[in-house]
Every structure is written in C-alpha cells, then in structure tokens.
Amino acid sequence: MTIPRTFRDFLTQISKTDSVALVDAKSGVEISYKELFEKTHDLAYRLDIEVGDRVVLFELSQLDWVISFFAIQLRGGIAVPIDERVHKTFLKKVVSDTDPVLAITNRDELFEGLATVTYQNLSKKLVNHNYVEESDPDDPCQVIFTSGTWSDPKGVVLSQRNILANVEQILSVYPDKEPGVILGILPLSHAYQQTLGLFTPLAL
C-alpha cells in the first residue's frame, strides 16, 4: 500500500468511506472517515495561525485531539502534543522551549500568558481563514518531547514524511487484513501511539 507523504493527501485518501474510523472509549462517540475529513477541514478554516506557528495540544478528548492535530497540519502549523500527566514545571519548560502561539486545551489556567482555546469554542468560531493549499512533506509538523529517562526531556522535531513513511513501512510487512478494532492505550503525545495506534489503523 502506498501512503501519501502529507496529511492533507492522507486524509483525502482515507475519506472515501462512511465506515467508522474512530471511537472515543470514554464517551462512546464515534466518527466515520468522511466525518473525520469534514471536521478536520472545517476546524482548519477556523484556526487562526500562520505557517510554522506552534500549537500546544493538552488535555483534550481523543477525538478532539485527532481533529485538532490534522487541522494544524492543514494550516501548515506545528503541533506540540503534551502528555496531560506531566508536572507543571515540565509544562512550562515545553512552552518556553517551543514558543507556541496557541494552546488548544481544557485547562487554560495552566497556560498563563499564552492564548488558549477549547476545542468546543474553536469549532464554533465564525471566522474563516484560508489554509495553505499545499504543504512540504519535509517541513516540521510536530515537536514531541522525549520521556527523559536518561536525561532531561528533549523536543524531537518530526516531519509529515517521517511519520507517514513509517506507516508505509509497517504496512509493507503487515499485509492488509479484514477490518477490525484496534485499541490504543498510550497517550497520543507519544510517537509510538500515533504511528501504531492512529495513523496505521486509519490507513488500514
């Protein structure tokens, strides 16, 4: 299976079915591939950021996280996903190191001095901003911070090509199967969970 190298093309490729794509295990809410495509593009129009701007994703429902992440990519932004279990000190360090313009979060009190918005409020904004029509697969798409097991956590910059090439390599050794359900238990702030628990299942 050939996987595109940008999330814009990836979303277009998987949007041609009405079958269920994602289910939030806590709420039971589910969305189809077509709805994922539509909700992502709708949010991208409402997201007021410039190409290269960094946007924090923190303490969101899983579905809100996925839609927000893809919307950031459509705008040419850089996502900064943060595990909701981190200490406040670490949270401040990430914000200081990445200099984001916005945090999409349900915990705005933790981001003093940084513009914040909840997913619910962002999805209701009336303003429409044109998003970039094309994106370079080698441009940074997110900064993921390491666990800090051996030293202080460091931000790792990943491109769309980095992630989607990994998906293609996985599928080259894991042949297409009948549709099934894949349970993701790690936070989406982890590259491992994103690749194996989100992007690869969506491609399948």
Side-chain angles (χ1 to χ4, degrees), residues 23 25-26 62 83 85 182-190 192-194 196-198:
V23 180
K26 290 183 179 179
Q62 299 298 282
D83 191 327
R85 300 169 297 178
I182 296 177
L183 174 66
I185 60 173
L186 294 174
L188 285 168
S189 54
H190 291 204
Y192 187 87
Q193 175 63 24
Q194 287 182 22
L196 287 176
L198 177 62

Side-chain angles (χ1 to χ4, degrees), residues 124-138:
K124 295 174 184 176
K125 272 193 172 184
L126 298 178
V127 291
N128 290 322
H129 303 277
N130 292 326
Y131 53 77
V132 291
E133 292 301 323
E134 298 294 336
S135 56
D136 187 329
D138 292 315

Side-chain angles (χ1 to χ4, degrees), residues 80-81 90 93-94 97-98 143-147 153-156 189:
V80 183
F90 176 74
K93 173 178 169 49
V94 171
D97 287 350
T98 59
V143 180
I144 289 185
F145 278 77
T146 61
S147 62
K154 296 176 177 62
V156 179
S189 54

Side-chain angles (χ1 to χ4, degrees), residues 1-3 167-168 170-179 200 203-204:
M1 180 185 294
T2 301
I3 301 298
V167 172
E168 185 169 280
I170 291 169
L171 294 178
S172 71
V173 295
Y174 182 82
D176 294 356
K177 303 286 187 181
E178 290 296 317
T200 299
L204 281 171

